[in-house]
Amino acid sequence: QEVHAAEMERTFIAIKPDGVQRGLIAEIISRFERKGFKLVAIKIVVPSKEFAQKHYHDLKERPFFDGLCDFLSSGPVIAMVWEGEGVIKYGRKLIGATDPQKSEPGTIRGDLAVVVGRNIIHGSDGPETAKDEINLWFKPDELMATKPLSREEIA
Ligand code: RTP
């Protein structure tokens, strides 16, 4: 009989094309890693505009929606899933306020970004969004399993 670990909280984090272009991949990953969160999925992708529109569907009425989707699909994005207790909320804390003019020093945006349209990183804003975004960006077999594999899964 197997002991199943309780389902651990997960969030979707993306380094946007500006963060990748500026060489901030390692810096950003390092901050999540040093905090103690666990990387359970990672890949580099150039999302299509249609995919970007899906990712940002909640914002489709906003005036900046089109430019935002063009931007997300303009180059490589690092898509990740991070796991750990409180990772959704605390991940947002590490990232800092949406507008880098308002993010505190010590946060990723506070330290590394200046304008809202180039704020280098995205993080899910709640448990439902996290689930939806992880499912949009990743197939189940691209995620590290939290629980031990059963005999059938290994075979
Ligand atoms: P985030 O999760 O990225 O912190 O953003 P949020 O949900 O707090 O903010 P939201 O309003 O959902 O914005 C998502 C992304 O849209 C871009 N944005 N541009 N005025 C503008 O040009 C503007 N406002 C928002 C940002 O890249 C933001 O991260």
Side-chain angles (χ1 to χ4, degrees), residues 1 3 13 17 19-20 26 30 37 40 42 44 53-54 59 73 78 88 91 105 134 151:
Q1 194 187 329
V3 183
I13 301 289
V20 175
S30 167
F37 293 132
V40 294
I42 184 167
I44 185 162
Q53 288 166 338
K54 267 187 213 164
L59 301 173
S73 57
I78 303 293
I88 300 172
I134 291 168
R151 234 169 239 294

Side-chain angles (χ1 to χ4, degrees), residues 6-64:
E7 191 116 305
M8 197 35 112
E9 186 175 322
R10 291 178 166 186
T11 194
F12 173 72
I13 301 289
I15 305 175
K16 299 181 192 178
D18 52 338
V20 175
Q21 197 276 329
R22 290 180 52 206
L24 298 172
I25 299 171
E27 166 76 37
I28 290 169
I29 289 179
S30 167
R31 290 179 181 221
F32 278 84
E33 219 176 12
R34 277 148 65 206
K35 171 68 179 169
F37 293 132
K38 185 175 146 198
L39 184 61
V40 294
I42 184 167
K43 63 181 168 188
I44 185 162
V45 279
V46 182
S48 66
K49 180 148 185 198
E50 293 66 38
F51 190 92
Q53 288 166 338
K54 267 187 213 164
H55 171 77
Y56 279 127
H57 68 273
D58 279 350
L59 301 173
K60 62 173 171 288
E61 307 302 332
R62 309 291 285 275
F64 56 82

Side-chain angles (χ1 to χ4, degrees), residues 54-98:
K54 267 187 213 164
H55 171 77
Y56 279 127
H57 68 273
D58 279 350
L59 301 173
K60 62 173 171 288
E61 307 302 332
R62 309 291 285 275
F64 56 82
F65 178 70
D66 198 55
L68 178 61
C69 294
D70 276 335
F71 178 62
L72 193 73
S73 57
S74 69
V77 168
I78 303 293
M80 299 177 280
V81 178
W82 285 87
E83 181 180 275
E85 201 177 315
V87 70
I88 300 172
K89 220 170 167 187
Y90 207 93
R92 302 270 297 176
K93 231 171 178 170
L94 289 177
I95 290 170
T98 305

